[in-house]
Amino acid sequence: MVAIDTMMANRTRVTSAYLLRANEPALIETGPTSSLGAVLEGLESLGLGPNDLAHVIVTHIHLDHAGGVGRLAGHFPTATVWVHERGAPHLADPTKLVRSAGRVYGEGRMHELFGPVDPVPSERLRSLSDGDVVRLGDRRLDVLYTPGHASHHISLVDSETGALFTGDALGIHLPGVRVLRPATPPPDVDVELAVGSIERIRAHARSVLMFSHYGPVFEVEELCRIAVARIKKWADIVRGAMDTTMDLDAIAEILAAGTAAELEQGVTSDPGELERYEILSSMRMNAAGLVRYWQKREETLGGAAREGSQPHLS
Ligand SMILES: [Zn+2]
């Protein structure tokens, strides 16, 4: 397998796609449309012409992973596009997906980071669910449904190497820093589901974790343990902060202060390297996702409605 740097936000080592060489070559993740040039160049340099790519699989439909899949599919007319069944309708018609991302990032920032989002023709889309297999001829990818970061998230296990493509299920781990940071964006992060998914990943990983952000991590046990501990800790900090304020900036500050020591454990404290985490998934976005998680949980548990329960975006 080969990593192709999708160069989101013109940064190296932030977002990646992976090419699996097989009788039926497969691309895992596409990056956003703004990454299309880098991905096309990467595939061409690996010798793949327009009719050579058989499969494109995305771990979930967030735009940094799948925003470019519609336009990429146009360049590879014989490729089949695979996505979790909950994500498939939104690749066929990205209207709601784009609206949701616009709320999370702001319209201007969304467009700047990701570019436009083209639909995938529905006849080229295939839906996946837990236990499915994508056959690539001489190797295959086994599908694990791993919700938590998003309800439409899958992870993939390569039959040949045992490598497990984690998408964002464990969070973000960038090679220049080597710190695992949870990714808990709105609208549907769910901490309990995320913990369950990390445990499944731990059980199925036979060799290496392949992060979409970014690259291989061989310390499977350690990373899974840290991922579980951190997402629980982050959720608890936000829950505690909500007792004193519902101002999102204030909650994000409390979360940043409460977790600052984690970044200090990295191999560098270079602000340029640390900034990469903020580009992908800012503290404010993570705080917003966790606030929403707790609010939804209270609603489903039938708890009394919290006074002034909407976070205000001052
Ligand atoms: Zn994501």
Side-chain angles (χ1 to χ4, degrees):
M1 96 193 56
V2 189
I4 298 172
D5 194 325
T6 66
M7 299 290 293
M8 195 177 87
N10 290 318
R11 302 277 189 135
T12 60
R13 297 171 294 122
V14 172
T15 49
S16 68
Y18 293 100
L19 176 70
L20 261 76
R21 297 180 189 272
N23 292 348
E24 299 178 26
L27 186 71
I28 299 176
E29 318 283 47
T30 65
T33 299
S34 54
S35 291
L36 188 67
V39 176
L40 292 177
E41 212 174 283
L43 289 172
E44 196 187 337
S45 74
L46 295 165
L48 273 96
N51 293 313
D52 297 334
L53 190 63
H55 307 278
V56 179
I57 307 135
V58 292
T59 60
H60 62 302
I61 63 173
H62 287 165
L63 298 183
D64 51 330
H65 298 253
V69 67
R71 198 161 294 188
L72 183 105
H75 288 263
F76 296 94
T78 54
T80 300
V81 176
W82 304 83
V83 61
H84 186 260
E85 58 191 353
R86 283 183 180 232
H90 302 291
L91 293 190
D93 176 5
T95 314
K96 277 190 195 161
L97 175 63
V98 170
R99 203 183 302 141
S100 168
R103 276 196 296 269
V104 173
Y105 289 91
E107 296 281 332
R109 179 74 179 141
M110 172 182 72
H111 201 84
E112 181 192 351
L113 265 181
F114 306 122
V117 181
D118 291 356
V120 178
S122 40
E123 67 275 12
R124 295 184 56 190
L125 267 174
R126 297 285 181 281
S127 291
L128 292 167
S129 56
D130 191 53
D132 281 350
V133 173
V134 182
R135 294 184 193 286
L136 313 179
D138 52 346
R139 72 204 287 183
R140 61 169 211 280
L141 287 164
D142 294 325
V143 176
L144 293 178
Y145 179 45
T146 47
H149 171 77
S151 60
H152 42 79
H153 194 290
I154 56 170
S155 300
L156 301 156
V157 188
D158 173 26
S159 61
E160 192 171 299
T161 62
L164 197 153
F165 296 87
T166 59
D168 289 347
L170 268 76
I172 293 165
H173 184 278
L174 300 182
V177 186
R178 290 176 47 201
V179 165
L180 191 283
R181 178 162 140 167
T184 60
D188 55 9
V189 66
D190 184 306
V191 175
E192 283 160 320
L193 291 177
V195 167
S197 292
I198 296 164
E199 295 299 353
R200 287 197 78 199
I201 286 170
R202 188 207 301 251
H204 284 86
R206 304 205 308 274
S207 58
V208 60
L209 304 173
M210 302 300 293
F211 280 74
S212 297
H213 319 287
Y214 178 106
V217 178
F218 292 91
E219 298 86 353
V220 175
E221 279 296 317
E222 191 188 346
L223 256 284
C224 290
R225 184 181 54 74
I226 291 172
V228 167
R230 286 204 177 147
I231 195 169
K232 285 182 178 172
K233 179 180 165 189
W234 283 40
D236 285 345
I237 290 173
V238 168
R239 183 69 190 78
M242 288 165 69
D243 285 335
T244 58
T245 178
M246 282 308 289
D247 181 275
L248 189 56
D249 287 321
I251 296 173
E253 260 175 50
I254 293 168
L255 180 60
T259 59
E262 293 170 6
L263 277 183
E264 286 162 16
Q265 292 164 18
V267 295
T268 178
S269 54
D270 174 357
E273 291 285 351
L274 299 182
E275 197 188 31
R276 290 168 150 74
Y277 285 87
E278 282 295 302
I279 291 171
L280 278 164
S281 136
S282 69
M283 270 300 167
R284 196 169 191 275
M285 191 193 300
N286 287 321
L290 290 169
V291 167
R292 182 147 179 189
Y293 161 70
W294 285 116
Q295 287 175 332
K296 272 197 274 190
R297 202 156 177 273
E298 266 188 19
E299 280 161 28
T300 52
L301 294 176
R306 178 175 292 273
E307 232 173 85
S309 66
Q310 288 307 312
H312 36 99
L313 314 173
S314 61

